[in-house]
Amino acid sequence: MNKYAKKMLELSNDITKYELSPTQLVEFQLGLVREALEYFANANDLIKKEIENLGIDPKTAKTEDILLLARSSDEFRGQPSGKYGIAGLARILCRNTTEGGKVFRSSGTGGKGPVLIYRSPEALEIGVINAMGYMRYITGIDLKGALVLSMIPKEATEFMAIGGFGIKGYEYFGAQIVYGMEVNPDIDPKEVPVIWHRLRPVERKIGQFLASPAKTKILFTGNAGLHGMLQNPNLKMYLGENGYVVIGGGAKGNPAFKTSNLRKLMKGRILVNGETAPLYDVLGLTESINILPTQANGEVLIPPPTMVYTILDMDTDMPMELVEGAEGEWVYFNPQTPDFPEVIRTGDQMKLVKVEGIPWTDFGLKHIQRITTQGEQIFGCG
Amino acid sequence: MKKVLPREKTQTTLDEIISIMQNTQKKRQALSQIPLERKLEVINELGKLWSSPDYSRRKLLIEFCAEQTGYSKEMVKMELSFVPIMLNPESLLNHFNQLPGGPKSIDRNIWVNKGECFRNLPKGNIFVVGAGNSFAPHLLTTLISLLTNNFVILRPSQSNCIALEEFKESFTELESEYSSTARIMSEAFEVVYTGHDSPAFDYLLKEAEINVFNFWGGKRALDAILEKINVRSALDRPSFVINGPMVGMAVIQEGSDNLETIARGLAYDIALFDQKLCSSPVEAQFVGSEEVFYQFAQLVGETLEIFRFTLPQRELDSATIRNTHIARKTLQRSGAKVIMPKDHAADWTVIASEKNPNLDVAVEAIGKTPHGTYLFNAHARPRLIEIVRVDSIDEALNAVRNLNIRRQYKDVMRVQSLGYSVKNSLEFIKKTSEIGVFRSLPIGEMNARTLLEPMDGINLAIEFTRTHYSRRSSKVVKSVLVPQRLEDNVQFS
């Protein structure tokens, strides 16, 4: 494992980062950015050239300089090809990690080609700890002995970030996984290429979860999945003494799948200690090694302390002053990915909102909408 | 209260199309009874109507087209000012000079040489399918079609439908001495609007009696249409006149002219119709020193900033704005110099690149639609030009020759217009005539056409007619053909 990856792995395990004050965070992030610039410049010639072209000196760089390297996730879309089975990411891949690894892909429900991201064995290890380590911090719930009902099929752990980091993360921290969904082998993948459209529930497994006496029971699903479950009028689910519901994937444009609606539908039906279970909405990106969860029943996403981010003015593309109410395109850098500079223009319009109870920051992000990127103009004539 | 055009074009039904097609022969016959000269007189009268800025239809269309197409009123006004220019009889007649037998061969047999004659007859029904930006091409097609005694069915974009219908209506407003001729002419063309998948459109492409198919637009639409036409048997297939998709390019040589003049010209060619024309330059090659190159790029930017207010472009959508910002950032990372408005708005961008273009990387980064079209293709970019500094004219012309080898331009048929400002234009033109472009023109007038200019490598009057040839006796053959071969091989009884 290279020195940088090793350090990032240590950082993932280091829970003191959650105790940093906003002032300490500034120094902490600056150090991470300079180290990352140095590492990536040495690991990939194109990145090195780009850093030079932008006039950045890794030794004296400012924190926000790294965000100039941001790429739109659309750049990573395409059909799998080459040794690593990726598309646009190949150009900025740093090949100084261990052989092996996996390629994660986006769900493909957006109609465009999937985002394809290579994860080295190092990145997989870091990601597992990052994602669920952070979830453990936000929820305050220990995962040892917990039982997780995953409505994402086991197959997804091989090629989707939500499985490879999320489900694997729960396992890493000692939870047991029950898969409540499976891929229907009777449907031809050639006819129905999107895996989500080929799933079927495994009632025996769901029943096993419902009947379990475990103290911590976690329901892990998508917005659409939770909505589907709640359509059953007889559904009553007990998540033990300190379980919770965690959802992700967004409403996909369907108002019924909105988190606020799901919270209403859950009332009195999914319970923890006789109360409605807490709901955590999580934003996870295929291209990210980290997640942004809300606080319990919250709507504001909390960026982890390792994440450097800004909000871009949508007219001028200039970074905005990060004050309450700032709204624009969210761009972030996550130093913990050793395979490529994870600096992403997300295409998500976010608004900066005040939050409480988070030591390292006073702000979180409220998701406003996806910025349309589908505007198609074809060659005409005249 | 502001008067607006009251109607939106509704879809033409299959029954309506069938009924139109049943009468085309009658209408063509009526048209062929009118001498070419008389038709030109009517067109001249129309030209007078449309040249008046106070003409009510012209005024209404400025409001309507700006609203429908999103182009600024200034731009629509400019387009409408081309209408009377196109209605110039002298200009139109030029298209007929290349016909065997000349313009008069439209009306009758023209005897040439010793006992040989030509007559140019209409091909029949012309179906014109056109996309988007400007209705001027449809107007030219219609006029040439009428003058060659064809019947024409126009299927433009919805916004252009109304403009062309207004043009058709204007025939009814001529003085009484022209009215009967004008009526026959206006009845020989129909403006229809049909959806891409409508039975009416299918009928026109697959079954109707169509003799010439004229297309203006993009590759995807063309592919889909050709697939439909191809269900016809080989002998039932119309002849094709395909225009587009094409783009423009420019070559500038340091010292050829005042730098500001060239910059102003290039910026104007870019700003015109928001760079959406087949003649709009999408890339320029600068032959000269590094220092003057950057100065020039800066000047182009400064002029585009002026046009931002004097010739405003249509309002940009959020996807275009975001894509422009992504492109700029990608280019800056690639080491290109990116010049943009001081307020960083997406309205215009000049990219100054050394030796090789950088824009392709940005276009790839922004990606494709599910249909495989580049989202940031040449016609999706808001007034954006890359200027590449090279060392020689030959290097510059190589870039022009190879443009559509590049992936982002694979949907482009070819470079239509090459704008230039060079020291030795005669030498330059000698070279450009051999690199596959249709037109080489001074910078600043890449869109303009003179009376003599053919239509992108073709002559519409020739495309819309078939020539009938006759000769009077075999003596002609003996005297005109190669006599020796005939004497040797042919036995005359």
Side-chain angles (χ1 to χ4, degrees):
Chain A
M1 191 179 289
N2 71 52
K3 217 171 116 193
Y4 183 79
K6 202 167 167 219
K7 182 157 185 198
M8 291 305 123
L9 183 61
E10 282 165 14
L11 183 62
S12 300
N13 277 309
D14 179 5
I15 53 167
T16 61
K17 62 181 178 283
Y18 300 126
E19 289 157 17
L20 294 170
S21 71
T23 326
Q24 288 169 319
L25 190 79
V26 173
E27 194 68 19
F28 170 71
Q29 289 194 337
L30 179 64
L32 286 175
V33 162
R34 287 181 179 172
E35 209 165 333
L37 282 167
E38 189 97 45
Y39 167 74
F40 289 117
N42 287 322
N44 179 297
D45 288 344
L46 177 67
I47 302 296
K48 183 182 187 144
K49 197 155 184 295
E50 290 187 348
I51 290 173
E52 278 169 15
N53 287 339
L54 292 166
I56 301 169
D57 176 356
K59 288 191 174 65
T60 56
K62 295 196 282 288
T63 306
E64 59 270 25
D65 285 348
I66 189 105
L67 298 172
L68 293 171
L69 292 173
R71 290 175 140 80
S72 159
S73 38
D74 287 324
E75 198 170 329
F76 307 133
R77 290 183 195 279
Q79 293 312 314
S81 67
K83 182 183 168 191
Y84 293 92
I86 46 177
L89 185 71
R91 304 172 68 230
I92 54 165
L93 199 64
C94 306
R95 297 182 171 93
N96 53 0
T97 46
T98 316
E99 286 285 309
K102 289 176 183 173
V103 171
F104 287 163
R105 52 192 299 167
S106 57
S107 68
T109 49
K112 293 197 259 187
V115 171
L116 297 165
I117 304 288
Y118 167 75
R119 298 291 180 191
S120 63
E122 288 89 330
L124 289 170
E125 195 177 346
I126 294 167
V128 153
I129 302 167
N130 249 344
M132 280 312 133
Y134 188 37
M135 198 65 198
R136 207 171 51 152
Y137 169 79
I138 289 285
T139 59
I141 307 290
D142 190 21
L143 296 169
K144 206 163 267 170
L147 188 66
V148 176
L149 174 62
S150 164
M151 300 306 274
I152 290 131
K154 190 168 187 184
E155 286 85 340
T157 58
E158 290 304 309
F159 61 86
M160 296 194 88
I162 191 172
F165 293 150
I167 296 169
K168 290 284 179 188
Y170 276 118
E171 264 178 357
Y172 177 89
F173 284 103
Q176 190 199 335
I177 314 292
V178 172
Y179 291 96
M181 286 295 234
E182 65 180 10
V183 180
N184 185 345
D186 299 335
I187 303 176
D188 186 353
K190 279 183 193 140
E191 278 174 33
V192 186
V194 178
I195 190 171
W196 304 114
H197 301 155
R198 283 186 274 128
L199 298 186
R200 68 178 180 196
V202 191
E203 279 168 23
R204 189 177 51 85
K205 294 278 185 183
I206 298 172
Q208 188 187 326
F209 175 79
L210 292 175
S212 162
K215 277 186 192 170
T216 306
K217 296 206 286 182
I218 297 164
L219 172 59
F220 185 79
T221 183
N223 290 45
L226 181 59
H227 182 261
M229 288 172 95
L230 291 164
Q231 294 308 294
N232 177 355
N234 300 322
L235 179 91
K236 196 102 181 183
M237 197 182 266
Y238 299 93
L239 299 182
E241 286 171 27
N242 52 8
Y244 57 85
V245 179
V246 55
I247 55 170
K252 308 277 184 212
N254 187 337
F257 298 169
K258 277 192 169 173
T259 309
S260 52
N261 187 48
L262 297 173
R263 205 178 300 123
K264 266 187 231 157
L265 293 172
M266 267 174 62
K267 228 171 217 170
R269 300 174 66 196
I270 302 181
L271 302 165
V272 165
N273 275 338
E275 304 267 325
T276 303
L279 176 69
Y280 295 90
D281 191 356
V282 175
L283 176 72
L285 305 169
T286 302
E287 52 273 38
S288 184
I289 203 164
N290 222 320
I291 54 167
L292 279 84
T294 61
Q295 290 166 299
N297 302 319
E299 285 191 340
V300 182
L301 303 160
I302 314 293
T306 45
M307 183 177 276
V308 175
Y309 69 90
T310 193
I311 303 279
L312 295 178
D313 181 300
M314 282 164 57
D315 284 328
T316 65
D317 214 43
M318 296 295 280
M320 299 175 84
E321 200 186 336
L322 294 182
V323 293
E324 192 175 7
E327 187 176 327
E329 183 172 358
W330 171 51
V331 177
Y332 78 86
F333 165 59
N334 194 327
Q336 284 154 292
T337 294
D339 307 327
F340 65 97
E342 191 194 312
V343 197
I344 308 288
R345 275 189 88 110
T346 59
D348 285 308
Q349 189 176 334
M350 296 278 198
K351 188 176 176 178
L352 215 59
V353 177
K354 278 234 171 219
V355 288
E356 281 178 11
I358 306 293
W360 64 90
T361 182
D362 297 327
F363 296 109
L365 297 159
K366 191 168 177 347
H367 191 261
I368 305 298
Q369 60 179 7
R370 287 286 300 163
I371 302 164
T372 321
T373 53
Q374 288 282 17
E376 178 183 7
Q377 293 183 43
I378 56 169
F379 285 110
C381 205
Chain B
M1 211 175 77
K2 193 176 79 175
K3 197 179 165 195
V4 288
L5 284 170
R7 60 189 190 280
E8 190 163 289
K9 182 77 182 170
T10 50
Q11 293 234 359
T12 316
T13 64
L14 178 59
D15 286 347
E16 285 166 334
I17 297 280
I18 290 173
S19 146
I20 290 169
M21 297 309 293
Q22 273 166 354
N23 294 311
T24 60
Q25 198 182 2
K26 217 166 66 193
K27 288 175 177 172
R28 288 197 316 256
Q29 267 165 4
L31 195 62
S32 65
Q33 301 304 310
I34 309 166
L36 180 70
E37 209 171 314
R38 179 69 179 159
K39 289 186 199 119
L40 287 169
E41 280 170 22
V42 169
I43 290 171
N44 190 41
E45 290 302 308
L46 282 174
K48 286 184 198 161
L49 268 187
W50 283 91
S51 62
S52 160
D54 295 327
Y55 181 45
S56 59
R57 290 186 195 279
R58 182 173 166 156
K59 283 194 333 206
L60 280 181
L61 278 182
I62 291 172
E63 295 288 329
F64 177 82
C65 290
E67 197 181 299
Q68 285 278 307
T69 61
Y71 286 120
S72 65
K73 280 186 192 169
E74 288 80 354
M75 203 76 82
V76 176
K77 261 186 206 166
M78 191 184 292
E79 175 168 36
L80 285 166
S81 70
F82 294 145
V83 175
I85 297 170
M86 298 185 87
L87 294 170
N88 178 329
E90 202 187 329
S91 151
L92 288 165
L93 207 53
N94 256 308
H95 292 265
F96 293 80
N97 287 335
Q98 287 166 33
L99 286 175
K104 287 182 179 153
S105 64
I106 292 290
D107 293 333
R108 55 184 171 82
N109 281 331
I110 298 297
W111 291 93
V112 294
N113 217 344
K114 294 172 188 163
E116 287 180 281
C117 80
F118 300 102
R119 169 114 192 247
N120 286 297
L121 296 146
K123 280 199 174 155
N125 296 331
I126 298 171
F127 181 33
V128 186
V129 176
N133 310 312
S134 156
F135 62 83
H138 296 300
L139 207 57
L140 183 69
T141 311
T142 307
L143 294 169
I144 302 286
S145 170
L146 295 178
L147 292 172
T148 47
N149 299 322
N150 285 285
F151 183 87
V152 63
I153 305 121
L154 295 160
R155 190 255 179 225
S157 65
Q158 194 170 21
S159 52
N160 283 341
C161 264
I162 306 289
L164 289 162
E165 282 199 333
E166 287 299 305
F167 174 67
K168 186 176 159 92
E169 289 290 315
S170 68
F171 279 80
T172 63
E173 288 170 339
L174 297 185
E175 299 286 333
S176 58
E177 62 174 299
Y178 300 103
S179 60
S180 66
T181 310
R183 185 180 49 78
I184 292 169
M185 287 173 77
S186 74
E187 282 177 356
F189 74 99
E190 286 289 346
V191 184
V192 301
Y193 184 69
T194 58
H196 280 290
D197 294 316
S198 67
F201 195 49
D202 271 15
Y203 172 76
L204 281 165
L205 294 171
K206 292 178 179 170
E207 288 177 59
E209 190 201 332
I210 299 294
N211 306 93
V212 181
F213 174 67
N214 179 203
F215 177 85
W216 306 77
K219 183 179 169 290
R220 215 173 85 213
L222 181 60
D223 283 343
I225 283 170
L226 289 185
E227 202 177 307
K228 290 185 179 181
I229 292 181
N230 282 341
V231 304
R232 290 176 183 250
S233 74
L235 296 180
D236 188 32
R237 242 167 255 180
S239 60
F240 293 130
V241 180
I242 309 287
N243 299 82
M246 291 180 283
V247 294
M249 276 184 91
V251 173
I252 295 121
Q253 189 177 25
E254 181 184 338
S256 58
D257 198 348
N258 177 306
L259 214 52
E260 280 174 28
T261 311
I262 313 171
R264 197 182 320 122
L266 182 61
Y268 175 77
D269 286 331
I270 296 164
L272 200 64
F273 280 95
D274 301 350
Q275 214 178 359
K276 304 263 184 289
L277 301 175
C278 288
S279 60
S280 305
V282 296
E283 185 177 299
Q285 303 282 318
F286 184 93
V287 185
S289 67
E290 210 174 308
E291 192 191 342
V292 178
F293 167 56
Y294 287 117
Q295 201 186 336
F296 175 71
Q298 199 70 42
L299 280 170
V300 175
E302 282 168 24
T303 322
L304 284 171
E305 179 68 8
I306 295 169
F307 285 135
R308 186 178 164 192
F309 303 101
T310 57
L311 202 55
Q313 69 185 322
R314 63 169 116 189
E315 205 176 312
L316 302 177
D317 57 65
S318 62
T320 304
I321 294 173
R322 180 169 184 265
N323 289 342
T324 305
H325 290 316
I326 292 177
R328 287 174 180 172
K329 290 263 167 79
T330 308
L331 288 157
Q332 282 166 336
R333 285 203 310 265
S334 306
K337 187 174 164 63
V338 180
I339 303 161
M340 61 183 105
K342 281 204 176 77
D343 62 3
H344 291 237
D347 293 50
W348 59 263
T349 310
V350 177
I351 304 141
S353 296
E354 266 295 316
K355 285 280 180 195
N356 292 303
N358 285 295
L359 186 60
D360 299 40
V361 178
V363 174
E364 291 284 349
I366 290 163
K368 297 176 183 179
T369 66
H371 305 294
T373 312
Y374 281 106
L375 281 159
F376 207 52
N377 69 46
H379 292 177
R381 309 195 278 248
R383 296 188 180 178
L384 177 147
I385 189 140
E386 177 162 31
I387 311 176
V388 184
R389 194 190 75 79
V390 291
D391 291 325
S392 68
I393 295 273
D394 285 340
E395 231 177 293
L397 291 178
N398 241 345
V400 178
R401 190 186 283 116
N402 294 331
L403 184 87
N404 62 354
I405 295 174
R406 284 152 63 185
R407 280 209 294 201
Q408 66 146 316
Y409 294 111
K410 74 179 169 49
D411 285 354
V412 171
M413 202 166 93
R414 65 166 79 206
V415 174
Q416 181 213 50
S417 304
L418 179 61
Y420 66 84
S421 179
V422 295
K423 286 178 189 165
N424 186 342
S425 56
L426 284 180
E427 195 59 34
F428 182 78
I429 289 170
K430 216 155 100 189
K431 288 178 176 172
T432 62
S433 60
E434 290 166 5
I435 59 166
V437 301
F438 278 135
R439 333 164 52 218
S440 309
L441 322 126
I443 276 185
E445 48 185 75
M446 288 176 69
N447 180 49
R449 289 175 188 268
T450 69
L451 301 183
L452 278 176
E453 186 176 345
M455 192 73 215
D456 297 342
I458 55 162
N459 178 303
L460 283 179
I462 293 176
E463 299 292 334
F464 289 176
T465 53
R466 60 182 177 82
T467 306
H468 180 260
Y469 164 82
S470 318
R471 70 176 170 254
R472 284 164 83 181
S473 80
S474 57
K475 280 180 193 163
V476 179
V477 177
K478 283 188 178 173
S479 64
V480 176
L481 288 186
V482 186
Q484 262 186 342
R485 271 192 68 193
L486 273 171
E487 291 299 333
D488 292 347
N489 302 313
V490 183
Q491 297 292 316
F492 289 98
S493 54

